[in-house]
Amino acid sequence: MLVRPATLLDLPALRTLYVSLCEHNPAGYPTTTPADYDAFVTTLAPALASGRADFLCLVAADDDGRLLGFLAAEMLTRPMGQPRHYAAPHYLIVVPEARGRGVATALCQEAIAWAQRVWPQITQIEIFAIHGDPQWADRGWRPFLVKYTKTVAEALADLAPRPAAVVEDEATPVPSPRTVEEATDGPGQ
């Protein structure tokens, strides 16, 4: 197996791997369409062509050159908070028939080695994962954020004015009901 930087010539195979990932999305969200698969290519192509210093895309290929998997990541800087610089892998995909053969391990090892050479200030890796997916916790990764989602219409419904709740003032005693006689100090008064 050879791990190497992806090139523009890899784009058709990368698109196929991306389609496979999207079609087997256990979360069902976000949904994707063929237009999204094309957008993946048109987004990835300029990054590969430009040689951006903050972007990495590696492929793992067998001896015949067939792609077994790929990893794409960005090196990001947050405006405040520590660690300021961190690596954010966006995709790590291995074809089903190559799983369990060290492909993901090789891709990750090479990505970390690259980040340490090019971005020595990187001390943290932050991975987005599907909520409830145990594979990262099983490997010792610690969760720190959970993303929540709803439609804009649902969010607006949550923000709609609601009738004010009636709150009784506990400091003012509420008089108990009295008979006419009690209120007037007797009959006819």
Side-chain angles (χ1 to χ4, degrees), residues 65-109:
R66 186 177 70 91
L67 293 193
L68 303 174
F70 85 98
L71 180 147
E74 286 184 284
M75 306 306 117
L76 300 173
T77 301
R78 57 173 54 88
M80 60 190 94
Q82 298 298 324
R84 181 90 59 220
H85 307 283
Y86 62 100
H90 295 295
Y91 305 103
L92 175 56
I93 303 169
V94 176
V95 297
E97 59 272 16
R99 292 180 185 157
R101 295 184 9 211
V103 175
T105 298
L107 286 165
C108 291
Q109 287 172 335

Side-chain angles (χ1 to χ4, degrees), residues 51-64:
R52 282 178 35 197
D54 64 342
F55 177 78
L56 174 67
C57 186
L58 296 173
V59 295
D62 66 13
D63 294 337
D64 296 325

Side-chain angles (χ1 to χ4, degrees), residues 1-12:
M1 172 178 50
L2 171 69
V3 175
R4 62 172 173 76
T7 69
L8 291 171
L9 295 176
D10 294 314
L11 283 173

